[in-house]
Amino acid sequence: MMRTPLIVRCATAAVFMMALFAPQQALHAQTKPKRSDLGQAPESVLWVGNSFFYYNNSMHNHFGRLVSSAGPGSRVRSTSVTVSGSGIDWHDMDSLLRPDGLGRYSFVGENEIRFNKPGRQYDTAIMMDCSQCPVHPQLQAVFHDTARKHAQSMVRAGVRPVLFMSWAYKDKPEMTARLAEQYTVAGNANDALVIPAGLAFAKAIVKRADIELYEADKRHPSLAGTYLAACTVYATLYRKSPVGLAYTAGLSPELATLLQTAAWESVKEYFRP
């Protein structure tokens, strides 16, 4: 059997380690965010995005369960509006935010319908572009233009705009820094808070290289990836640590703690002056 020369094996290992630790460098090599907190804690959140949100029974559900596990009386109402493969320019934000439209009622308890208070239905809206759009040569300008238009629509409706920084593909870790830069620039341009989920993915991988945050397509999140992202949303919107929250999405306590920790450390580092 032919043996791989030592020099080739060493070079392969070096490339792997560079790819592994590149995300760690990306945690700091970016424009600093101007807005570091949401202000008053959210009570009702609209999630606008794509399949990255709706995988694994939807990120907004995991986020809600994290909030509920924070203690008695802790709850948030969320609605997720997603289109498979979509960019944020596929969504009509003015229509989504119309009073007494989307979110007018909720299913509660034993599948009972509860009508919510009339008028504005959400105080916060989280938007995410397609996984490549913010860094794609033909779609980057569309991302920034649409982020501006949607943020203006949200402000007019009395809703706080939030951008969700998505993660790099599993086999393209160099996307981390590029996505982080574009989301941060867009956040600064529109006074929008940015959720650094992509940086949390990178940090979790640095903490444990064998962690599986992706589905087989190397793009969509595994359950662990969705849980990590939900923890990052919690840490960003509430500026509280998710470490120790009882809800673990069925993951092992050890893995849940690692993901909670990665989310909290990423948020603290991203917003550090």
Side-chain angles (χ1 to χ4, degrees), residues 34-68:
K34 293 180 180 179
R35 174 169 283 280
S36 60
D37 67 83
L38 188 64
Q40 186 176 352
E43 296 181 2
S44 52
V45 181
L46 177 65
W47 301 60
V48 181
N50 48 58
S51 54
F52 276 26
F53 275 167
Y54 73 62
Y55 255 56
N56 303 303
N57 197 31
S58 193
M59 194 182 299
H60 82 286
N61 283 324
H62 295 282
F63 168 71
R65 289 165 186 161
L66 283 167
V67 173
S68 296

Side-chain angles (χ1 to χ4, degrees), residues 23-33 36 165 184 194 196 199-200 202-204 206-207 232 235-236 239 261-273:
Q24 179 67 23
Q25 296 168 356
L27 296 179
H28 305 286
Q30 58 182 347
T31 299
K32 297 300 295 181
S36 60
M165 179 200 300
T184 304
V194 177
L199 300 181
K203 180 171 282 293
V206 168
K207 283 180 173 292
T232 310
T236 303
R239 291 314 299 270
T261 302
W264 182 231
E265 290 179 356
S266 297
V267 168
K268 289 192 297 182
E269 291 172 6
Y270 180 65
F271 293 111
R272 183 175 296 149

Side-chain angles (χ1 to χ4, degrees), residues 90-155:
W90 292 20
H91 294 274
D92 184 342
M93 192 62 66
D94 288 319
S95 176
L96 296 179
L97 295 175
R98 69 191 187 278
D100 300 322
L102 195 68
R104 188 166 66 94
Y105 55 83
S106 304
F107 286 88
V108 298
E110 297 297 322
N111 291 321
E112 300 171 356
I113 288 181
R114 179 190 66 199
F115 287 91
N116 297 312
K117 184 179 178 180
R120 176 175 58 80
Q121 292 300 319
Y122 305 99
D123 57 57
T124 304
I126 303 171
M127 53 182 166
M128 171 175 54
D129 208 344
C130 86
S131 56
Q132 292 186 39
C133 291
V135 297
H136 191 280
Q138 292 174 279
L139 295 172
Q140 185 177 91
V142 177
F143 162 66
H144 286 286
D145 184 55
T146 308
R148 176 181 55 80
K149 292 177 180 177
H150 283 354
Q152 290 173 347
S153 294
M154 292 175 191
V155 171

Side-chain angles (χ1 to χ4, degrees), residues 82-93:
T82 59
V83 179
S84 178
S86 71
I88 54 174
D89 59 313
W90 292 20
H91 294 274
D92 184 342
M93 192 62 66

Side-chain angles (χ1 to χ4, degrees), residues 162-183:
V162 177
L163 286 165
F164 181 95
M165 179 200 300
S166 57
W167 47 83
Y169 294 173
K170 183 177 181 178
D171 57 347
K172 292 183 175 7
E174 67 277 7
M175 288 175 64
T176 298
R178 296 170 60 205
L179 286 166
E181 179 68 14
Q182 295 308 313
Y183 272 103

